[in-house]
Structures are given as C-alpha cells and as structure tokens.
Amino acid sequence: MNRLRIAGLGLVLVLFLSACGEERAEVAGTYDEAAETAKGTTVNFYLWGGDEGINRYLDEYVAPRLASSHDIELNRVPMDTAEFVRQLSLDKQADRERGTIDLMWINGDNFRNAAEADLLTGGLLERIPNASLLNETAQATDAGTPTDGLEVAWGNVQFVLHYDADHVKNPPETFEQLIRWTEENPGRFTYPEVTDFTGNAFIRHLLYAEYGESLRDMETIPEAFWDELAAWSPNLWKQGETYPKSLAQLDQLYANGDVWMTMGFNERRAEAEVNADVFPDSTRALVLDHSIASTHFLAVPFNAPNPNGAIVVINELLAPEVQLMKQQDTYWGDGTSLDLEKLDEGDREAFLSLDAGRTYPDPERLSERQVPDYGPNVIDLVREGWTRVAR
C-alpha cells in the first residue's frame, strides 16, 4: 500500500516537473516573423462572452478574415475576466511556462492586478504595425494605471443609460433626478451588483455626482454615501433585496419589461438589440450629468503558447476596416480606439459618415459630459463599501 502511494506520488511529481519544465514560447522580434510563425496555428482568445453582438462580430467577421488572410484559426473562449486572470496567477505560482491562453480582453482593476503580478507579455506596441494608428490618450492609461506596452487599446466607449420611451415620458436629466424618478416609479429601475464591471461603474457615477473630483483625494468613501444608497434601495426592483448578477441579466429584465432602464459602457450598443427585436423599438439613450469614458484593451499572457498568433490577431483587430465594422450596429457598435486624424482620408470619412441610430445619444452632449474614471482604488472601495447596501 505504501509502495503504491509512493509510486503514485512519484508519477504526479514527474508530471508536475514536466509541465513546469516546458519552455516559454518565444516571441518573434518583428511582425513579419510573427506572421510567418503563426501560419496554420490556433489562437485561443479568452474574453467575456455575454454579448451576442460581440460574439457574432468575432465568429462571423473576424474569424473568417483571419483564416483567409493569415491561415489562423480564432478560438473564442467565453469566460469572466477575473477567472482567467486567476488562472494565470495559478500558472505563475506553479512556474507553468506554457499555459492555455494566447490572447485576452482586459481592462480596469483586472489589468492592474495582472500587471502587478507580472502576468503579461510586454513590448507589444513596437511589434504591432497598426498600433501606430492608436489614439495616444486612450492607449496611455487604463482606468488610471499606465499601460506600459502590456496591453493594446481595442475600443473606446462612454457610459450611458437606455430607457423605454413608451414608459418613461419625462426622463431624468441628472443622477439626482434619477433617484427621485425611482420614488415615483418604484421597482422599475435597478443596476448590477458591484462585482460586475457595469454595476461598479454605475456607483462611481453616483460618487461623482456627490463628490466630483474631491473623491480622488479621499482615502475612503464617506459612510454617509452608503447610508443614502441603502435608503434608496427599497425603491428599486425587488425592493433592493437582490440585484442582477451581471449586465446581461439587467438587459434581460429590460427586454422583458420588468425594468424600464438599462445601462452600460458603449453608447451605441442598444441599436443592435432593437434591430434584433430584443429591446423595445421605443429604446432611447439617456446621458445624465456626467459620463465616464472607458477604454478596453487586448493583452498577451506571460505564458501564451502562441504569442505570435496573438500579435497577428491584435494587428488585424486594429485595422481601420475591422474597427469600422466593430463600430457599426450590425454587430457590436463599439467605439474605435484609433485616432481618426492618423487615418487616410477614405478611412476617416468612413468613420465620420456612420449613420446615426435611433438609440444613439447626441454626440455633442456626450462629449461635453465626459469625465475620467477614478481609477482602480475606487473600484475596490466600492466593492468593500457596497456590502452595507446589499445585506
């Protein structure tokens, strides 16, 4: 019995050491070398999978394009960002030099955590030709954390609410008016819990309404804010006793008519949902007194088995025509991360001539009310403090 146990442990040890001893995949020095190395390979792209428009954009448009032009198969792996960052942390602890993730969609505190733990491949910008077209402001920082070449801007969006105009005849214009509106329409509004990216952002908008820029100098969120938020809860859906776990769940409540508003980063996202008869035809955009701008990014893990394929995919995703398709409501409606002034005239005009949709906010109003995010520390403080609200 002891001999068998020892033999079994020995086999486990051999397998573990074998996995740990596998060498890290080499990143090519130039894009051309990366493209040549990547031919005939598969790129495992890990990202949130809760939006059908995003999924169709990648599966129906991007994947065939990569197969045709680069002989690369794109394998989309849906998973919450925090989960695959956790997986990479375990790989790091186990000295696993070859993992399973080639490319990932990331931003905010997930990026900060990954960067601090040294989970990402650096030097991306100089290896990706289309990175020269990026908006430099969008590329520079991620929710207050310098990107330092560890990730590449994929899209740039702002936070808006969408509402059903058939039910909401006089929409609020400020976050204070929104709170009063819920008093007159109890149960018809809610937001995702703050472990969700969108739900956390909604609370940060309320913080901005209450404290503005002064919150940046505070080490904690005042208790009075959480008291006010808890007092507001009974006016929400289910009397604030429960909250949607994700934006996808909130969208479903809105689509079903249980609530009359939804929200999210991406001012154009509702158009495709209306066209697909998911959201009501009467859906319209609502920009309140301020709107946080958010850039989302692509990164390559430290132990990507196919980092060169990932570099080729990123370069393709930054191509102007691919970014243009991403911004159209046919699929996603996501704003571009490119600087239009860096594009040739034809590409620039194509972006500027995108049709205005029924659910799009006024672009001037959106621009006027744009504010920078507080950063990852406030995201953490919101998660900690919100336990006083969701008991």
Side-chain angles (χ1 to χ4, degrees), residues 73-149:
E73 179 183 351
L74 186 67
N75 178 36
R76 179 176 59 81
V77 183
M79 184 184 291
D80 287 342
T81 313
E83 288 300 317
F84 53 75
V85 170
R86 191 175 300 115
Q87 179 178 326
L88 288 175
S89 296
L90 293 174
D91 285 354
K92 192 78 170 181
Q93 293 169 21
D95 293 326
R96 193 168 293 116
E97 292 295 295
R98 281 191 186 243
T100 58
I101 305 170
D102 296 309
L103 177 63
M104 58 188 188
W105 187 21
I106 192 169
N107 73 339
D109 56 333
N110 287 308
F111 168 68
R112 175 203 57 186
N113 296 339
E116 289 178 350
D118 196 26
L119 303 181
L120 305 175
T121 296
L124 293 180
L125 296 180
E126 56 264 33
R127 291 184 168 90
I128 298 170
N130 284 332
S132 63
L133 303 175
L134 287 169
N135 179 306
E136 293 175 13
T137 301
Q139 174 59 41
T141 61
D142 183 345
T145 303
T147 57
D148 292 335

Side-chain angles (χ1 to χ4, degrees), residues 1-11:
M1 179 67 120
N2 288 340
R3 220 175 290 161
L4 286 173
R5 185 179 295 124
I6 291 170
L9 289 173
L11 178 60

Side-chain angles (χ1 to χ4, degrees), residues 202-382:
F202 177 74
I203 300 301
R204 300 200 301 278
H205 281 82
L206 296 182
L207 285 167
Y208 205 95
E210 187 81 17
Y211 305 107
E213 291 291 329
S214 66
L215 186 68
R216 299 184 191 281
D217 299 323
M218 300 181 188
E219 294 184 1
T220 61
I221 295 172
E223 291 187 7
F225 174 81
W226 300 116
D227 292 339
E228 292 172 7
L229 204 60
W232 181 39
S233 291
N235 294 319
L236 304 181
W237 175 71
K238 298 287 188 183
Q239 294 79 49
E241 294 178 359
T242 186
Y243 292 80
K245 299 291 184 185
S246 65
L247 175 58
Q249 288 188 12
L250 175 59
D251 281 348
Q252 189 61 56
L253 290 175
Y254 176 71
N256 292 343
D258 296 320
V259 297
W260 294 343
M261 294 186 188
T262 186
M263 63 188 69
F265 280 105
N266 188 350
E267 58 273 24
R268 304 169 68 92
R269 77 183 191 92
E271 194 75 5
E273 301 295 338
V274 171
N275 292 339
D277 295 324
V278 176
F279 286 178
D281 287 341
S282 48
T283 297
R284 298 293 181 267
L286 184 60
V287 182
L288 300 180
D289 34 358
H290 46 266
S291 166
I292 292 175
S294 175
T295 303
H296 54 89
F297 296 81
L298 299 166
V300 180
F302 76 98
N303 63 348
N306 186 11
N308 295 306
I311 285 170
V312 175
V313 172
I314 295 174
N315 191 66
E316 193 75 5
L317 291 173
L318 296 186
E321 61 270 29
V322 179
Q323 284 272 309
L324 181 68
M325 184 62 75
K326 176 168 67 76
Q327 189 162 337
Q328 296 191 33
D329 59 62
T330 309
Y331 290 115
W332 186 353
D334 183 54
T336 184
S337 59
L338 305 182
D339 184 342
L340 299 189
E341 295 302 314
K342 293 181 178 180
L343 305 184
D344 63 38
E345 185 176 353
D347 287 331
R348 183 166 56 252
E349 287 302 318
F351 278 97
L352 295 175
S353 63
L354 283 171
D355 292 337
R358 292 167 295 170
T359 66
Y360 299 163
D362 177 80
E364 290 186 7
R365 181 184 178 92
L366 192 66
S367 178
E368 289 169 357
R369 302 194 174 198
Q370 178 177 320
V371 295
D373 208 340
Y374 283 122
N377 290 337
V378 174
I379 293 174
D380 290 342
L381 290 174
V382 168

